[in-house]
Amino acid sequence: MRKVTLDYERQPYRRCGRSGLLLPAVSLGLWHNFGEGKPVESQRAILHKALDLGITHFDLADRYGPPIGAAEAAFGRIFPASLRDEVVVTTKGSNPMWDGPYGKGNSRKHLLATLDRSLARLGLDHVDIFYLHRDDEDTPLEEQAATLDHMVRTGRVLYAGVSNFSPERTAEIARLLRGLGTPLLVHQPPYSLLNRGIEDRLLGVLEAEGAGCVVYSPLAQGLLTDRYLDGIPADSRAAEGRFLTADRVTPEVLAFVRALAGIAAGRGQTVAQLALAWALRDPRVTSVLVGASSPEQLEANVAAVDNLAFTDDELAAIDRAAKEAGVTG
């Protein structure tokens, strides 16, 4: 087996909020490409390519698979243990994981149990970031914050994060965590050219709280790529209904993506590279999470960092294309 090394020069690293932690501009999300249906050698090749590309940040969750837990187990089997101190490994809890009243949600009972199960699958004694995958309004925020604080103080987690929280609830849990002495490190929301909701308030809250922002779905489940320029391919996610349904591939979206293709060509980029660079244009966005079904796809996505600068004219053209296509974001 070849020796695996990290290339720290391939991409820029950004500070996560006001913390001391740096993350690569492009990070790898191990979602449904690391389930039991994927060949081990394919998974290993993607992980090794990630390291070659300076990706030091690997994002997981207890439920990722399929089946649930499989992504963490795969990562635990194939990641080079010798590089543990050179990477950031994250996972998440909240999700339905087993039957009964304690198998889901953000109670202290469930979160501590699901973290222990995640660590066992990963083969680690700690994760660098643990996220509450979603808010649980049936559990007091005080309990949720206290559980994150406990995880950090017991050494099983280094940093606390949340995902899919509203701006108001983000500000409140950040206040609670600050009072406990465990600052909120990061929020993980969806963000893309087709989903710009975090611009309204959440980014401002995170800036005020000193928290970073790691965004998921920056390519809108593949819509913001060259894949759908000529319609819906027979082997695509939309055709198969895997996390993207055909009704989302509307004439308006296709018109917008085709306009983006023209802008991207002028920048020497693909649509996907433009979309990733666009999401990174705001310095409050620490990193974008991408998935990968092959090393080649991952390499192409990381190439977005080769041109992260936008002119005012390019940004205006992107906004104009969205308006003309009837895509509000």
Side-chain angles (χ1 to χ4, degrees):
M1 186 181 298
R2 73 179 179 89
K3 183 179 179 181
V4 182
T5 57
L6 272 159
D7 181 359
Y8 298 110
E9 304 300 320
R10 178 62 189 94
Q11 58 170 316
Y13 294 81
R14 296 180 165 197
R15 192 164 301 281
C16 193
R18 291 197 291 268
S19 77
L21 185 67
L22 297 173
L23 296 177
V26 179
S27 301
L28 180 62
L30 285 78
W31 187 30
H32 282 265
N33 288 318
F34 282 78
E36 290 183 357
K38 302 294 182 180
V40 172
E41 286 308 313
S42 172
Q43 296 172 351
R44 181 177 287 110
I46 292 170
L47 279 181
H48 287 185
K49 175 57 71 173
L51 296 167
D52 289 342
L53 296 169
I55 292 179
T56 56
H57 175 209
F58 299 90
D59 183 78
L60 297 114
D62 52 5
R63 195 167 175 85
Y64 290 173
I68 59 175
E72 290 178 327
F75 185 86
R77 284 193 303 269
I78 64 181
F79 188 80
S82 62
L83 295 179
R84 175 64 184 98
D85 291 339
E86 299 180 55
V87 299
V88 171
V89 180
T90 82
T91 195
K92 310 178 191 75
S94 298
N95 305 294
M97 292 297 292
W98 58 89
D99 293 336
Y102 316 119
K104 63 182 178 181
N106 290 357
S107 70
R108 185 183 184 96
K109 171 73 171 173
H110 172 69
L111 290 175
L112 294 180
T114 202
L115 171 61
D116 285 344
R117 294 186 185 203
S118 287
L119 292 175
R121 286 189 291 267
L122 290 164
L124 301 176
D125 61 2
H126 74 278
V127 290
D128 298 287
I129 304 170
F130 183 88
Y131 291 93
L132 301 181
H133 208 162
R134 54 187 52 80
D135 196 359
D136 175 7
E137 295 191 357
D138 292 328
T139 301
L141 268 183
E142 290 83 358
E143 181 176 345
Q144 299 184 50
T147 304
L148 288 172
D149 176 66
H150 175 78
M151 290 175 173
V152 172
R153 291 184 185 279
T154 55
R156 288 176 290 171
V157 170
L158 299 188
Y159 296 97
V162 297
S163 180
N164 301 307
F165 273 53
S166 70
E168 296 80 9
R169 298 276 281 184
T170 299
E172 179 62 11
I173 199 168
R175 181 188 67 80
L176 291 167
L177 284 167
R178 186 166 56 250
L180 293 168
T182 297
L184 178 69
L185 174 80
V186 63
H187 189 296
Q188 188 178 128
Y191 184 50
S192 74
L193 278 160
L194 291 171
N195 182 358
R196 299 178 62 167
I198 67 172
E199 295 175 0
D200 292 337
R201 293 194 58 208
L202 182 60
L203 283 175
V205 167
L206 297 180
E207 183 175 26
E209 297 294 343
C213 184
V214 171
V215 303
Y216 70 87
S217 292
L219 301 180
Q221 297 294 337
L223 278 175
L224 293 169
T225 69
D226 299 332
R227 191 92 163 101
Y228 297 94
L229 290 176
D230 298 317
I232 302 176
D235 61 346
S236 66
R237 283 184 178 182
E240 298 173 3
R242 292 183 296 113
F243 318 114
L244 176 67
T245 53
D247 61 345
R248 288 184 58 194
V249 191
T250 65
E252 293 80 9
V253 167
L254 290 177
F256 180 46
V257 175
R258 287 168 185 149
L260 291 177
I263 299 169
R267 291 170 49 84
Q269 291 181 317
T270 65
V271 172
Q273 290 164 351
L274 177 144
L276 295 173
W278 178 90
L280 289 163
R281 81 199 186 288
D282 191 317
R284 295 172 295 184
V285 174
T286 311
S287 183
V288 294
L289 287 172
V290 299
S293 57
S294 69
E296 294 76 20
Q297 182 187 38
L298 185 59
E299 187 166 24
N301 283 337
V302 170
V305 304
D306 294 334
N307 187 7
L308 292 176
F310 286 87
T311 67
D312 291 342
D313 287 345
E314 287 172 332
L315 292 174
I318 290 170
D319 289 343
R320 185 167 57 251
K323 183 176 180 180
E324 292 173 353
V327 176
T328 64

